[in-house]
Amino acid sequence: MSSELRSELEKYLETLNIQTTCVDHPPVFTVEEMMPHLQEVSGAVTKNLFLKDKKKKSLWLVSARHDHQVNLNDLAKKLGIGSGNLRFADEAAMLEKLKVGQGCATALALLFDKDQSVKFVLDRDLVKGGHQMVYFHPMTNAATMGLRPDDLLRFLKETGHEPILENFE
């Protein structure tokens, strides 16, 4: 299934004239597992968290630089949700909304969130930090795809996902 979704994503990016680079690697489930395969890339590698709001049941996708800390309590306060109210969402919700499972969360999966029900939080550094490329999984954790920060923003706009920019350290 992930190869068809990756192909659909690649075709969509082509229609937007977004050029990408891709590194294929064995399936990885953590940033630590992924980094040895990305020694040659130039840019910012991301980590992605799929979360839910305990009270409102809203879904959130957070993309941050792989070496930045994401404090869920601090983030919940910044988003006006209240400390302690952000939790990891279950894999079934991620499969339903983004069509990817554990280890594959990615901003690029927002293409498949057709009703824009997933709110997107983006590390400001990824688009304002002067990076040549930013790297995400392309619907599979057996590859990492790079695209220019401006192209990421254009992709998000085209899919109806205006990012909430936050600072992570």
Side-chain angles (χ1 to χ4, degrees):
M1 181 164 131
S2 65
S3 62
E4 291 95 33
L5 294 173
R6 178 179 174 177
S7 179
E8 191 175 336
L9 169 67
E10 288 168 344
K11 285 178 184 142
Y12 183 77
L13 293 171
E14 279 178 35
T15 67
L16 298 177
N17 292 315
I18 292 177
Q19 295 181 341
T20 62
T21 62
C22 212
V23 176
D24 291 304
H25 49 69
V28 293
F29 290 91
T30 66
V31 168
E32 292 75 22
E33 288 177 55
M34 180 174 60
M35 292 312 291
H37 304 290
L38 301 179
Q39 296 300 310
E40 305 300 314
V41 305
S42 171
V45 176
T46 60
K47 63 181 170 188
N48 299 272
L49 310 174
F50 190 64
L51 308 169
K52 68 178 178 182
D53 170 350
K54 185 173 83 169
K55 291 185 178 160
K56 295 187 181 119
K57 303 290 186 236
S58 299
L59 295 170
W60 301 82
L61 179 64
V62 178
S63 292
R65 222 172 76 179
H66 80 280
D67 56 352
H68 284 182
Q69 292 295 322
V70 177
N71 181 306
L72 296 185
N73 287 332
D74 290 348
L75 179 59
K77 284 183 211 164
K78 288 179 186 177
L79 297 174
I81 298 169
S83 180
N85 287 326
L86 275 180
R87 307 256 188 286
F88 285 95
D90 59 32
E91 187 176 29
M94 190 162 50
L95 282 164
E96 178 190 335
K97 290 295 178 183
L98 301 180
K99 298 195 183 319
V100 292
Q102 189 175 358
C104 300
T106 171
L108 300 175
L110 291 169
L111 171 63
F112 299 98
D113 177 37
K114 301 296 186 192
D115 62 358
Q116 290 87 29
S117 60
V118 177
K119 296 174 182 139
F120 182 57
V121 178
L122 182 63
D123 188 338
R124 179 175 275 108
D125 179 80
L126 293 173
V127 290
K128 305 286 187 193
H131 303 290
Q132 181 182 344
M133 302 286 269
V134 289
Y135 291 87
F136 297 88
H137 287 315
M139 306 305 294
T140 172
N141 61 351
T144 302
M145 177 182 279
L147 62 163
R148 292 186 1 249
D150 287 350
D151 286 338
L152 172 64
L153 291 174
R154 191 157 48 93
F155 166 83
L156 293 168
K157 183 177 181 181
E158 291 291 328
T159 63
H161 294 88
E162 189 66 35
I164 300 165
L165 297 181
E166 288 293 344
N167 293 314
F168 299 105
E169 295 299 317

